[in-house]
Amino acid sequence: MSAVTTGRQIGGTLAAILAINVVFSLAVVALLDPWTAALWTHLGVRSTLGRYALSGFLVVLVLCWVQIVYTRQELLAEAAAETVDESMYPDLHARVTRLSAGFDMAPPAVAIASSEVPNSLAIGDLRSGTIVVSDGLLESLEPAELDAVLAHELAHLKNRDALVLTLASFLPALVADERVVFGKRLPAWTRPYVYTLVIMGSYVLASTFIDAPLLSVSGFGQFIVAGAITIVLGGVVLGVLAAPVVFLSRRLSRAREFVADRASAHVTGDPAALASALERLDGMATVPSEDARLAGDTVPSRLPRYRGLDGMCFLPHGFEWRSQVSAEDDDAFHVETRSHPPTDERIVQLQKLAAELETTVS
């Protein structure tokens, strides 16, 4: 697939996803309009078009902030990754700095995930980026292979893939209730107060359109019905719009993995190193049953499971051993929006690129 064709496919897919996101934002605005119309009128916005424009802007702003800023923080926390400076990992920082120069970009921050499972990921936002690598990755790869993997993650940051795919995945993330429900992140003692304030504020807003005294039984009943209808209709709209986004996000993600592989190979000049890293890490994803690290009373029987990271990483098993994942672990609904191409297919593409580079040199 040519670079032009790939670019058109990615651009078209992203445009479709953004269009669906806009439709969802307008649907949210329409559902909230009865509740907020009086407030906007009090603020001097009397036209329906003006209310929709301002409400739509606020909805898009909040959703983007949640997905870009909050999700970035959550991913680092979920991976138990800590940012490290040059004095702690001088060789790793030197590699990232050297490879960043090849991409003509400023070196991103570097974080280390405390996991024996070899993997990596790139987390980006509008202004900066972070490359996360596990202890297991640093111990498992040869120098050239490590450079190739780091270059792959830098390509994701350079091309804004982490940012784009975060935006592309926010509707499915809402369906799956992943990293976007602030109530779950609030201290337990504050939740009753926050929920009470939200309910009271909603009740006051509802008083502008319910046909009953505010503190009457009838008024309270109308408030419950109006709230239920808004939530149910919102859920239906979210589910309908999230379905095509899942398909589009997975296709976009698959395309970007090939692009990052190719960019890594060009910057390092060694496609075979990335192919070797892919083969090595994919083969290590399932821990051998005789692995001494998982035996004995002094070592945990299983590593923590970082469910939200699976699709974000260099290989889609996250920072856990595959053999440690079982159906009984799936205690929450999950929508996977990221899709990695089969490792064998990625290796074949890199082998073709190596042949092309050899032909060019000769």
Side-chain angles (χ1 to χ4, degrees), residues 70-94:
Y70 187 70
T71 299
R72 180 179 183 275
Q73 297 171 353
E74 285 292 283
L75 285 171
L76 285 172
E78 191 179 359
E82 296 185 1
T83 303
V84 296
D85 57 31
E86 188 174 357
S87 64
M88 301 173 66
Y89 286 81
D91 179 70
L92 179 59
H93 272 272

Side-chain angles (χ1 to χ4, degrees), residues 67 75 78 165-166 168-180 235 238-250 253 305-312 316 330-339:
Q67 288 298 302
L75 285 171
E78 191 179 359
L165 287 168
T166 295
S169 67
F170 87 81
L171 285 184
L174 285 173
V175 173
D177 197 24
E178 291 180 356
R179 303 187 302 270
V180 292
L238 176 61
V240 169
L241 293 179
V245 170
V246 170
F247 169 76
L248 292 169
S249 298
R250 288 172 66 86
S253 174
R305 187 173 187 200
Y306 306 121
R307 183 62 183 271
L309 299 179
D310 291 359
M312 299 287 288
D330 297 331
D331 55 357
F333 182 59
H334 178 71
V335 178
E336 181 57 68
T337 60
R338 301 296 301 271
S339 175

Side-chain angles (χ1 to χ4, degrees), residues 151-169:
H152 174 98
E153 302 300 353
L154 286 169
H156 280 311
L157 292 178
K158 175 67 175 181
N159 297 328
R160 297 289 186 179
D161 293 339
L163 172 63
V164 169
L165 287 168
T166 295
L167 291 173
S169 67

Side-chain angles (χ1 to χ4, degrees), residues 302 305 307 320 323-332:
R302 66 191 305 275
R305 187 173 187 200
R307 183 62 183 271
E320 63 186 346
S323 60
Q324 294 167 330
V325 181
S326 63
E328 63 186 7
D329 293 325
D330 297 331
D331 55 357

Side-chain angles (χ1 to χ4, degrees), residues 27-77:
V28 171
V29 170
L31 289 171
L32 293 180
D33 188 62
W35 301 75
T36 60
L39 178 61
W40 283 120
T41 300
H42 180 73
L43 294 175
V45 182
R46 302 184 181 278
S47 69
T48 301
L49 181 60
R51 294 200 309 269
Y52 269 62
L54 289 173
S55 297
F57 173 77
L58 290 176
V59 168
V60 171
L61 186 65
V62 169
L63 290 174
C64 288
W65 182 85
V66 168
Q67 288 298 302
I68 295 173
V69 179
Y70 187 70
T71 299
R72 180 179 183 275
Q73 297 171 353
E74 285 292 283
L75 285 171
L76 285 172

